[in-house]
């Protein structure tokens, strides 16, 4: 063997070893990526926007959906809290921002958010229908300005639509005052709560236009109806329950009495309810009672201690993210597994509570 033969063989041996190593490394990488994706959870951040809404979903495929943007003003307080949650989740962009309706505590924060983080698309119910309310008109116009930049895709969703996000299934159940005509798959049972249900007068604000979704992740079902009012809840829940049973109920309307009828709350029969209330916003004691006494509720969690609730209508301190006193903007984070189990983390106590699959 001359020197060149030797180096040739040596190099080709090296090459094939390198190739094998590469193959090994890449298959390990592929396997671990697959395992991570398969075993990975759905993360939901309940950002404290002081009685508005901002709920961030991050799916195992890394896609994100933010439901509502909190309030405008306050030097971008709400937008910064949302961006902080997004960073914690490892996001550099929010794929979809859904505005349930154009009230200022939901849509008002959109421009400040857009100034701080890239957004892929906005999802809404269509036009603003409340042209008599100054702050709502302002929020709507600011949103139009964002859309006019042509930087964002706009999706106007209708009942029955499935949102384009991957890694969880988000089905629209209400939009622009219209609800789904047929029950979602698996739902449609008679709702005993309808029999003696109160008759509610029709809401005339943006609330009844709320873009509501049922989100399915593995065995887990999550409900968010924005501020959808009781008159519309009756259309969803009577005479048959079109939504079915829900595991995690994002309490409508911050726990205010104009939403959260017994027909809805007892019909969906949730395990855990999370209330995006403020210290002085939402949480009517009568509405709080309905959630707290619903048939199989395990826990109600609150983003804030409710001043109006006093000792009788607030949950145990460990289930509250922000107690009385100076506000720290603590959040709740829910980690959902496809088998139906989930964990709720309170950023104030740094404690996590586990809920087993049922
Ligand atoms: Zn609201």
């Amino acid at each position: 063997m001359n020197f060149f033969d030797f180096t040739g063989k040596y190099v080709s041996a090296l090459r094939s070893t390198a190739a094998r190593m590469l193959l090994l490394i890449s298959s390990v990488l592929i396997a671990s990526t697959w395992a991570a994706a398969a075993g990975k959870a759905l993360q939901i951040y309940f950002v404290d926007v002081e009685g508005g809404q901002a709920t961030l979903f991050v799916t195992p495929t890394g896609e994100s959906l933010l439901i509502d943007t909190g309030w405008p003003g306050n030097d971008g307080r709400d937008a910064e809290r949302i961006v902080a949650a997004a960073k914690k989740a490892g996001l550099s962009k929010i794929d979809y921002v859904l505005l349930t309706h154009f009230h200022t505590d939901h849509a008002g924060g959109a421009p400040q958010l857009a100034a701080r983080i890239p957004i892929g698309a906005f999802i809404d119910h269509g036009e603003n229908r409340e042209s008599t309310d100054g702050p709502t008109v302002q929020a709507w116009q600011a949103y139009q300005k964002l859309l006019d930049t042509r930087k964002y895709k706009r999706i106007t969703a209708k009942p029955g639509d499935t949102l384009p996000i991957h890694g969880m299934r988000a089905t629209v159940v209400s939009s622009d005052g219209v609800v789904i005509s047929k029950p979602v798959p698996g739902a449609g049972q008679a709702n005993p709560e309808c029999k003696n249900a109160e008759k509610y007068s029709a809401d005339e604000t943006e609330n009844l236009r709320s873009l509501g979704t049922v989100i399915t992740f593995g065995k887990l079902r999550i409900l968010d109806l924005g501020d959808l009012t009781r008159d519309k809840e009756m259309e969803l829940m009577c005479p048959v329950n079109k939504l079915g049973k829900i595991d995690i109920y994002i309490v409508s309307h911050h726990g205010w009495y104009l939403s959260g009828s017994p027909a809805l709350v007892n019909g969906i029969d949730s395990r855990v309810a999370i209330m995006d209330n403020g210290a002085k916003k939402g949480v009517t004691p009568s509405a709080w009672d309905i959630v707290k006494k619903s048939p199989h509720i395990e826990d109600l969690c609150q983003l804030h201690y409710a001043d109006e609730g006093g000792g009788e209508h607030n949950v145990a301190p460990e289930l509250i993210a922000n107690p009385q006193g100076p506000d720290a903007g603590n959040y709740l984070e829910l980690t959902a597994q496809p088998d139906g189990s989930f964990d709720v983390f309170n950023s104030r106590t740094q404690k996590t509570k586990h809920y087993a699959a049922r």
Side-chain angles (χ1 to χ4, degrees):
M1 192 191 292
N2 67 30
F3 174 77
F4 294 103
D5 274 352
F6 173 77
T7 27
K9 275 186 186 146
Y10 184 70
V11 167
S12 78
L14 253 184
R15 270 200 197 126
S16 68
T17 311
R20 264 190 233 121
M21 286 293 286
L22 259 176
L23 198 71
L24 187 72
I25 289 166
S26 58
S27 56
V28 164
L29 271 176
I30 288 166
S32 62
T33 311
W34 179 83
K40 236 176 129 184
L42 169 70
Q43 302 290 140
I44 312 170
Y45 297 83
F46 298 84
V47 180
D48 175 30
V49 290
E50 311 293 331
Q53 184 175 359
T55 317
L56 178 66
F57 295 76
V58 184
T59 75
T61 55
E63 288 185 45
S64 50
L65 167 71
L66 175 72
I67 300 186
D68 289 328
T69 58
W71 302 87
N74 306 304
D75 292 326
R77 176 200 66 200
D78 293 356
E80 278 178 10
R81 289 180 181 178
I82 295 165
V83 170
K87 288 220 170 108
K88 233 166 240 130
L91 301 176
S92 53
K93 160 188 189 195
I94 299 176
D95 298 305
Y96 302 97
V97 173
L98 184 157
L99 303 175
T100 57
H101 60 299
F102 298 111
H103 279 165
T104 187
D105 57 327
H106 296 258
Q112 292 174 333
L113 183 70
R116 285 167 173 80
I117 191 165
I119 292 168
F122 283 97
I123 306 173
D124 62 38
H125 72 60
E127 303 289 294
N128 167 40
R129 307 291 186 189
E130 196 178 340
S131 54
T132 48
D133 183 59
T136 307
V137 171
Q138 251 178 14
W140 164 252
Q141 285 173 346
Y143 175 47
Q144 294 312 293
K145 256 195 191 160
L146 278 181
L147 294 178
D148 287 345
T149 63
R150 301 194 172 274
K151 281 200 270 182
Y152 313 101
K153 197 177 163 196
R154 179 189 183 188
I155 300 166
T156 295
K158 301 212 163 20
D161 287 356
T162 302
L163 302 185
I165 188 162
H166 298 107
M168 66 181 194
R169 189 178 176 85
T171 305
V172 177
V173 295
S174 68
S175 179
D176 198 20
V178 182
V179 306
I180 39 171
S181 55
K182 283 185 293 191
V184 297
Q189 289 75 20
N191 183 357
E193 293 290 337
C194 301
K195 211 171 151 200
N196 298 313
E198 244 179 272
K199 292 262 176 295
Y200 303 111
S201 52
D203 182 76
E204 290 176 354
T205 72
E206 265 287 304
N207 290 328
L208 88 143
R209 309 278 169 186
S210 288
L211 175 43
T213 44
V214 169
I215 289 168
T216 309
F217 178 69
K219 290 187 175 164
L220 213 67
R221 305 181 79 244
I222 304 154
L223 177 67
D224 183 84
L225 296 175
D227 289 357
L228 196 77
T229 43
R230 297 180 297 187
D231 49 327
K232 287 292 153 189
E233 291 176 357
M234 296 309 284
E235 292 178 28
L236 276 173
M237 300 304 290
C238 292
V240 298
N241 173 357
K242 290 178 183 167
L243 302 178
K245 303 277 184 205
I246 294 292
D247 298 286
I248 297 149
Y249 169 44
I250 302 174
V251 178
S252 297
H253 222 155
H254 328 285
W256 203 32
Y257 77 100
L258 286 177
S259 304
S261 59
L264 175 77
V265 175
N266 295 336
I268 61 170
D269 192 13
S270 62
R271 293 183 68 181
V272 167
I274 297 188
M275 201 177 258
D276 43 21
N277 65 300
K280 295 183 193 307
K281 176 124 186 296
V283 193
T284 314
S286 59
W288 186 95
D289 273 335
I290 296 171
V291 178
K292 196 71 176 57
K293 291 173 184 161
S294 59
H296 296 97
I297 193 86
E298 290 168 43
D299 278 318
L300 165 62
C301 305
Q302 297 176 199
L303 273 184
H304 268 270
Y305 178 88
D307 291 353
E308 198 187 335
E312 296 288 300
H313 294 93
N314 276 289
V315 291
E318 64 268 23
L319 297 172
I320 299 179
N322 295 284
Q324 280 173 298
D327 184 65
N330 298 306
Y331 62 91
L332 297 170
E333 182 184 349
L334 192 148
T335 306
Q337 305 296 340
D339 69 357
S341 65
F342 56 95
D343 294 273
V344 178
F345 169 76
N346 182 335
S347 78
R348 174 177 65 85
T349 62
Q350 294 285 305
K351 291 213 168 91
T352 300
K353 185 165 177 185
H354 181 69
Y355 299 85
R358 64 173 177 188

